[in-house]
Amino acid sequence: MGNGVREGPVDFPKDVEPVTAAHLPAEDNQEKKKVLNSLMSGALAGAVAKTAVAPLDRTKIMFQVSSKRFSAKEAYRLIYRTYLNEGFWSLWRGNSATMVRVIPYAAIQFCAHEEYKQLLGSYYGFQGKALTPFPRFIAGSLAGTTAAMVTYPLDMVRARMAVTPKEMYSSIVHVFIRISREEGLKTLYRGFTPTILGVIPYAGLSFFTYETLKKVHADHSGKAQPSPPERLLFGACAGLIGQSASYPLDVVRRRMQTAGVLGHTYSSILLTMQEIVREEGLIRGLYKGLSMNWVKGPIAVGISFTTFDLTQILLRKLQHGAGEER
């Protein structure tokens, strides 16, 4: 018995120490890999989706910031005139600014969404399981808000480049310099409030719809993961619902962002809305270009969600394969 008492305390620390040292760094490393995967997948998803619809996006912005009446015929004419006067690649004018913004925006948004899902899952007791509807909406809204707050000045620059000729702004840096010098640094955040108010329902409903459709699909089909075409369809539905809900605030945001170069003065969200409705009408003004968004939005969001999911799956497989080789 004497020997048992002496040996117990001596052996116990030796058994415990390696477990503590080995597991914690491994868990930290796993979490870092997960965050890095989300950032890379989100960046690629945003770049592919936005580049695919850039000509439609530029055309939509040009209608949003003008008093011209929108129609599919007029949109086609504008695209064709731009092509004839400025060349094919002019249809992607402002896309470099879009990429500078959308790559960090999408990376932050998708990564933040994964982290918020995990946090809310812990808080509501759904760790490892699908969130219920309300936390699912909150996770999407928080992710969109986080990304918008970090990258907003880049969105402002992109809008300016989309509605101005090449002679006015030669590069992204030139836009920043001219706005700062001629209009003040505050201008870089003009339209920020309607952006955040629009992002909350847009991102919340987009992520909510996509995650919900995936869950419903898994429950009814018995398959853990939907196929790529199914992901595209779920993403398209998410984009359609999210963008329709927040569209008037998107119009207000664009008007406020481009006021300095188009000769308008918009001091607040409500005054901007009132002026648009008074001059152009409720539907024709605040929902101008929405029909184009019903084409562009579902395509972009569908591509974005699908690219993110498939890139995540691919990266996990590559890492798993590399781990097995070691």
Side-chain angles (χ1 to χ4, degrees):
M1 287 181 70
N3 288 340
V5 171
R6 282 195 303 273
E7 288 173 8
V10 173
D11 291 338
F12 181 74
K14 290 179 182 177
D15 290 337
V16 171
E17 265 186 82
V19 174
T20 307
H23 278 73
L24 288 179
E27 286 175 9
D28 288 346
N29 197 36
Q30 201 65 29
E31 185 62 28
K32 284 177 185 175
K33 279 183 181 178
K34 185 183 166 189
V35 170
L36 187 60
N37 284 358
S38 295
L39 287 169
M40 289 171 62
S41 302
L44 182 63
V48 172
K50 279 294 184 182
T51 300
V53 298
L56 294 175
D57 215 15
R58 187 188 178 198
T59 304
K60 182 201 75 171
I61 292 172
M62 290 173 82
F63 272 102
Q64 283 183 326
V65 301
S66 75
S67 56
K68 291 179 184 176
R69 185 175 174 182
F70 176 85
S71 69
K73 190 176 181 181
E74 285 300 315
Y76 170 75
R77 281 179 179 170
L78 179 58
I79 292 171
Y80 189 62
R81 275 201 307 271
T82 304
Y83 163 69
L84 288 178
N85 297 334
E86 301 178 42
F88 177 72
W89 294 113
S90 68
L91 297 173
W92 275 265
R93 174 162 167 74
N95 196 51
S96 56
T98 301
M99 290 300 101
V100 170
R101 169 193 168 264
V102 86
I103 288 173
Y105 180 92
I108 293 166
Q109 180 176 241
F110 277 106
C111 183
H113 183 246
E114 295 299 307
E115 295 302 309
Y116 284 131
K117 278 200 302 183
Q118 194 171 315
L119 285 170
L120 289 167
S122 300
Y123 181 78
Y124 285 100
F126 299 115
Q127 195 66 40
K129 300 177 186 177
L131 293 174
T132 51
F134 181 67
R136 208 177 297 155
F137 174 82
I138 293 298
S141 295
L142 288 172
T145 302
T146 302
M149 288 174 70
V150 174
T151 62
Y152 185 78
L154 294 168
D155 187 48
M156 171 70 160
V157 168
R158 174 247 185 163
R160 284 291 181 95
M161 289 189 77
V163 301
T164 54
K166 286 185 284 186
E167 297 75 28
M168 186 161 187
Y169 298 118
S170 59
S171 67
I172 297 167
V173 175
H174 189 211
V175 183
F176 274 109
I177 292 170
R178 280 197 64 175
I179 289 175
S180 302
R181 187 186 299 148
E182 296 172 12
E183 302 173 56
L185 285 171
K186 279 186 178 180
T187 304
L188 291 172
Y189 281 88
R190 184 181 292 160
F192 179 71
T193 304
T195 297
I196 295 301
L197 292 176
V199 158
I200 290 169
Y202 169 66
L205 286 169
S206 296
F207 279 106
F208 168 81
T209 303
Y210 185 68
E211 295 284 319
T212 300
L213 288 173
K214 284 205 301 182
K215 185 178 183 302
V216 170
H217 173 271
D219 291 344
H220 285 79
S221 69
K223 293 191 293 184
Q225 296 292 341
S227 65
E230 287 168 336
R231 290 179 195 275
L232 278 170
L233 180 61
F234 298 162
C237 292
L240 189 66
I241 292 169
Q243 294 194 346
S244 297
S246 61
Y247 195 78
L249 285 162
D250 190 43
V251 174
V252 170
R253 168 174 66 120
R254 294 302 182 200
R255 292 293 178 98
M256 294 179 79
Q257 285 177 337
T258 58
V261 292
L262 297 177
H264 291 283
T265 304
Y266 298 118
S267 56
S268 70
I269 298 170
L270 286 176
L271 289 175
T272 305
M273 280 187 167
Q274 285 173 3
E275 188 170 330
I276 293 169
V277 172
R278 186 174 64 250
E279 292 181 0
E280 302 164 51
L282 178 64
I283 303 300
R284 290 177 183 172
L286 291 178
Y287 288 90
K288 181 185 290 182
L290 179 59
S291 56
M292 180 175 282
N293 238 38
W294 284 342
V295 175
K296 176 191 78 71
I299 293 171
V301 178
I303 291 172
S304 182
F305 278 124
T306 303
T307 304
F308 176 78
D309 279 355
L310 295 181
T311 307
Q312 283 273 79
I313 291 166
L314 177 62
L315 288 173
R316 280 197 292 264
K317 282 182 179 176
L318 290 173
Q319 287 172 354
H320 184 66
E324 284 183 345
E325 285 176 13
R326 286 197 295 271

